């Protein structure tokens, strides 16, 4: 099955909105074994939309659009589809009532604006694609030759939900049991792509008959395995085996798969080991805490933190000795260690983590250039102590600090520092039983 994607909206052409819908649809369709033959973007002009859809439908007979389903004058996708297939627009009473109920349910004042009823106008004979998360429904119009156009809204969250719930099963049925293109991603951090390539050796060229792509980003290097020309079950089995081989080869530099965030992995490992964390941040200004609290349910593991930006805060609230600040500077091993210990003791957690560094663009020196960041972890039994999980030995107190030299601009350095701190927490917790046994 060949499909064309048409994304509609002036904002896409003007560059104010980056087209993420076609990326999502491309990945989803590939995973179903559907070929995306072409992807076109056009502006909010009825003539241009009709022409674009006509060319697309003539080429492949199967088109998915996003955008232009709203109630305003610049939303004209459904009208264009009606014109294309020469269908009259008729009011669908079920949609009209649903829009009214939704209006009331959201406690909007007064009667629903007349313009909203535009969303109830659909081409005669069209199927409705329900919108579980927004107001604009989509339509699926098929002509007597079996050629079809399906419309999804522009808002990515709505387009995704509608595709997944309504359109995906239909497209899957049309595509049949053919071969699929399917990928999975393993996520690494704290190691560069060339070092990973060295570790992998020959495997870097491909694993278990799967292609392997290295995708470096500020959060770390993602390794994407892709299976082509296999049936769905075989693709899944090949990917699972490929992932197993890579994990075996790379060990704990892999922290998760697909869209797992490092913070969510950290919360998971801490929860399993019954340890709580507290953070003291200088140059990241709360970013570490923000990443951790991005994870729903983080509160049973994360107790809180302090942004210790000024040296007085480091001294007065974390107990960093003045002599260390004067002798070694705020970005130094002893200060990082004391910050981690200070926050752990004050918040009564098992682990304290600190970050102190120079994010730039100013403030660097020849000895401590921009990008120099000290990260420390301090471990001990919390107050009040919480029981160790069965089979795990008691926690032996210890502390460690590491210096990093991150590259990039201020944002990247701060992001990399938060990510490295998360990875230090992850490794510390994974090593707890071993460390304690020493
Ligand atoms: P609405 O009912 O909200 O008007 P709509 O179908 O009319 O839905 P648009 O008005 O075209 O959608 O776009 C709504 C929002 O979705 C805009 O903020 C736009 O920037 C965003 N958007 C539109 N198309 C895309 C796309 N292809 N990728 C990512 N975002 C998009």
């Amino acid at each position: 099955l060949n499909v064309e994607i048409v994304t509609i909206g002036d904002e896409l052409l003007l560059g104010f909105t980056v087209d993420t819908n076609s990326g999502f649809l491309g990945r989803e369709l590939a995973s179903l074994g559907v070929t995306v033959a072409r992807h076109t973007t056009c502006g909010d002009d009825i003539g241009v939309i009709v022409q674009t859809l006509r060319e697309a439908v003539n080429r492949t007979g199967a088109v998915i659009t996003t955008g232009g389903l709203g109630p305003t004058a610049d939303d004209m996708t459904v009208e264009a589809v009606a014109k294309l297939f020469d269908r009259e627009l008729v009011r669908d009473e079920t949609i009209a009532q649903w829009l009214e109920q939704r209006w009331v349910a959201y406690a909007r004042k007064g009667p629903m604006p007349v313009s909203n009823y535009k969303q109830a106008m659909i081409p005669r004979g069209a199927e409705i694609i329900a919108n579980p998360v927004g107001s604009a429904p989509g339509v699926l119009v098929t002509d007597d030759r079996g050629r079809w156009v399906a419309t999804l809204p522009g808002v990515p969250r709505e387009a995704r939900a509608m595709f997944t719930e309504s359109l995906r099963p239909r497209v899957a049925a049309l595509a049949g049991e053919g071969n699929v293109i399917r990928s999975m991603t393993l996520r690494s951090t704290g190691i560069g792509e060339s070092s990973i390539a060295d570790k992998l050796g020959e495997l870097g060229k491909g694993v278990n008959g799967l292609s392997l792509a290295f995708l470096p980003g500020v959060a770390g290097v993602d390794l994407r395995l892709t299976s082509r020309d296999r049936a769905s079950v075989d693709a899944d089995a090949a990917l699972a085996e490929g992932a197993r081989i890579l994990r075996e080869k790379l060990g704990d530099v892999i922290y998760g798969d697909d869209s797992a965030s490092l913070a969510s992995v950290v919360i998971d490992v801490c929860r399993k080991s019954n340890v709580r964390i507290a953070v003291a941040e200088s140059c990241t200004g709360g970013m570490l805490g923000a990443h951790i609290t991005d994870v729903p349910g983080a509160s049973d593991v994360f107790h809180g933190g302090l942004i210790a930006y000024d040296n007085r805060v480091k001294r007065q609230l974390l107990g960093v000795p003045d002599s260390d600040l004067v002798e070694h500077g705020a970005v130094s091993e002893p200060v990082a260690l004391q910050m981690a210990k200070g926050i752990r003791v004050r918040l009564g957690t098992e682990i304290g983590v600190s970050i102190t560094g120079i994010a730039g663009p100013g403030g660097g020196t020849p000895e401590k250039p921009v990008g120099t960041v000290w990260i420390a972890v301090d471990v001990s039994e919390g107050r009040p102590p919480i029981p160790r999980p069965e089979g795990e030995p008691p926690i032996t107190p210890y502390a460690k600090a590491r210096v990093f030299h991150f590259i990039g601009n201020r944002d990247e350095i701060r992001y990399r520092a938060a990510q490295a701190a998360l990875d230090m927490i992850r490794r510390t917790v994974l090593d707890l039983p071993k460390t304690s046994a020493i």
Side-chain angles (χ1 to χ4, degrees), residues 337-386:
L337 284 169
Q338 181 53 42
M339 284 171 67
K341 182 173 181 184
I343 198 69
R344 184 188 61 67
V345 170
R346 280 157 182 79
L347 270 58
T349 55
E350 284 72 28
I351 294 185
V353 184
S354 70
I355 302 177
T356 174
I358 302 156
T365 62
E367 300 79 48
K368 291 179 189 171
V370 168
T372 306
V373 180
W374 276 95
I375 300 179
V377 178
D378 189 278
V379 184
S380 189
E381 193 174 78
R383 292 283 173 271
I386 56 173

Side-chain angles (χ1 to χ4, degrees), residues 15 18 67 154 172 260 264 308 336 342 398 401 417 429:
V18 176
S264 66
Y398 79 97
V429 178

Side-chain angles (χ1 to χ4, degrees), residues 6-12 16-23 39 41 44 66-72 74-77 119 131 134-137 152-160:
V6 177
T7 51
I8 299 164
D10 284 344
E11 74 278 14
L12 300 170
F16 290 115
T17 298
V18 176
D19 178 6
T20 54
N21 287 344
S22 58
H39 159 218
T41 298
D44 298 316
T66 79
L69 294 192
T72 53
D74 61 350
D75 294 312
M76 41 192 110
T77 306
Q119 293 175 306
N131 185 340
S135 71
L152 298 172
V155 181
R157 194 171 71 93
E158 298 181 19
R160 284 166 197 229

Side-chain angles (χ1 to χ4, degrees), residues 419-434:
Q419 196 75 355
L422 284 171
D423 201 41
M424 266 177 84
I425 305 174
R426 179 181 73 99
R427 287 165 184 277
T428 301
V429 178
L430 290 177
D431 280 350
L432 264 184
K434 279 182 244 155

